[in-house]
Amino acid sequence: MKVRLLGIPVEDGAGRMGCEMGPSAYRTAGIVEAIAELGHEVEDLGNVARGPLPAVKPPYPHLRRLPEIAAWIGAVTEAAYEASDGALPVFLGGDHALAAGTVPGIARRAAEDGLPLFVLWLDAHTDFHTLDTTQSGNLHGTPVAYFTGADGFHDCYPPLAHPVPPGNVTMVGIRSVDPAERRALGGSGVTVHDMRALDEHGVGALVWRFLERVAAASGRLHVSLDVDFLDPSIAPGVGTTAPGGATFREAHLIMEMLHDSGLVSSIDLVELNPFLDERGRTATLMVDLLSSLMGRTVMDRPTRSFAA
């Protein structure tokens, strides 16, 4: 398999500085070598540069760095589309605002190929705010609402050519949802599995049910993995920690199942803040998780593949 790495050093969407260093931390943690050791061809495309600032007027004064985020979205959308040509792109973040660019770029590629796009959102947060609902003004909390075509962006973000149907989005590991997001999600069609659902049903059953849906639709699958999906006891290098996250084994199980499915076409690794990490601990864990998704196993076992 050909894998392309693309760094997206955006930190304008987060409340704390440091995510800009995320792509470098992944490279230092050996991400290129880890993928190559599994027999894949790896091409590192370097980092995306932010585009020129658009002339957008924030509808509310508390929105933080809106022109910068709009510029990033435009640049990342185009770069993601290009990187997905004949390869599996891995997007190295950077805060989660980058998904407002990666997902539309991948959606364009899927649409041109006549295939539906599905998104597996692994995160403590739903990121389902719009410009109208965010109280913090931190725009890394808006990508899912944007790429599913929600109202409330006041033409400040780039026009969305290929919105992802909300019913094609499944969230796993959610444990921090604002009231406005909860109301919006209620009638959206997005599937939300919070941590109680994982406790009651097990992460394997929930993820497998979603993968069956993707396979039945002959869809492509984009995975967006936020560091704060993981419990902060094992992944401290993130600015928005939320206790009670996924365990080491739960996270690896998901990655192993994704590999077995043969459905993943692209992935985000986001919200790594090396300034808050402990001697590269979180960066190393995220590289290990990607390695599981790319095929690293302890023992060989029959693959239950959905791929044709």
Side-chain angles (χ1 to χ4, degrees), residues 25-251:
Y26 285 124
R27 293 179 175 110
T28 301
I31 193 168
V32 173
E33 295 79 3
I35 298 171
E37 285 174 1
L38 294 168
H40 303 295
E41 178 185 350
V42 187
E43 181 182 7
D44 189 344
L45 300 178
N47 289 351
V48 178
R50 189 187 71 194
L53 297 184
V56 297
K57 182 178 180 181
Y60 307 102
H62 72 290
L63 297 176
R64 298 166 55 90
R65 307 186 70 81
L66 177 57
E68 287 83 356
I69 292 298
W72 274 112
I73 292 172
V76 171
T77 298
E78 184 62 29
Y81 170 75
E82 295 292 340
S84 64
D85 185 11
L88 187 154
V90 179
F91 303 110
L92 310 176
D95 70 57
H96 224 156
L98 68 84
T102 58
V103 175
I106 296 299
R108 175 186 169 190
R109 177 70 62 188
E112 289 183 357
D113 292 340
L115 298 173
L117 181 66
F118 289 76
V119 176
L120 180 61
W121 194 259
L122 303 173
D123 199 332
H125 309 89
T126 61
D127 293 347
F128 208 71
H129 275 297
T130 68
L131 304 187
D132 289 336
T133 65
T134 176
Q135 294 183 345
S136 70
N138 295 327
L139 299 181
H140 66 167
T142 64
V144 184
Y146 169 67
F147 68 63
T148 55
D151 294 328
F153 288 92
H154 302 271
D155 296 324
C156 292
Y157 284 9
L160 192 62
H162 302 286
V164 177
N168 287 9
V169 179
T170 288
M171 301 180 171
V172 175
I174 302 301
R175 56 194 187 277
S176 178
V177 186
D178 292 340
E181 292 177 296
R182 188 176 292 109
R183 289 191 295 270
L185 284 162
S188 69
V190 174
T191 299
V192 180
H193 297 306
D194 61 12
M195 288 305 297
R196 175 171 175 172
L198 269 64
D199 292 341
E200 289 185 346
H201 303 288
V203 68
L206 298 176
V207 171
W208 201 257
R209 191 181 308 157
F210 172 63
L211 293 175
E212 288 179 325
R213 288 183 51 224
V214 180
S218 299
R220 288 193 174 156
L221 177 56
H222 178 81
V223 178
S224 201
L225 174 60
D226 190 313
V227 169
D228 68 28
F229 168 72
L230 304 163
D231 192 84
S233 64
I234 61 171
V238 64
T240 51
T241 56
T247 66
F248 178 90
R249 268 310 312 156
E250 286 172 330

Side-chain angles (χ1 to χ4, degrees), residues 255-267:
M255 297 299 113
E256 291 160 1
M257 292 175 67
L258 290 171
H259 170 73
D260 290 350
S261 76
L263 295 169
V264 177
S265 60
S266 50
I267 182 169

Side-chain angles (χ1 to χ4, degrees), residues 9-30:
V10 56
E11 63 181 12
D12 295 303
R16 301 186 68 168
M17 306 293 279
C19 286
E20 181 183 55
M21 300 182 287
S24 294
Y26 285 124
R27 293 179 175 110
T28 301

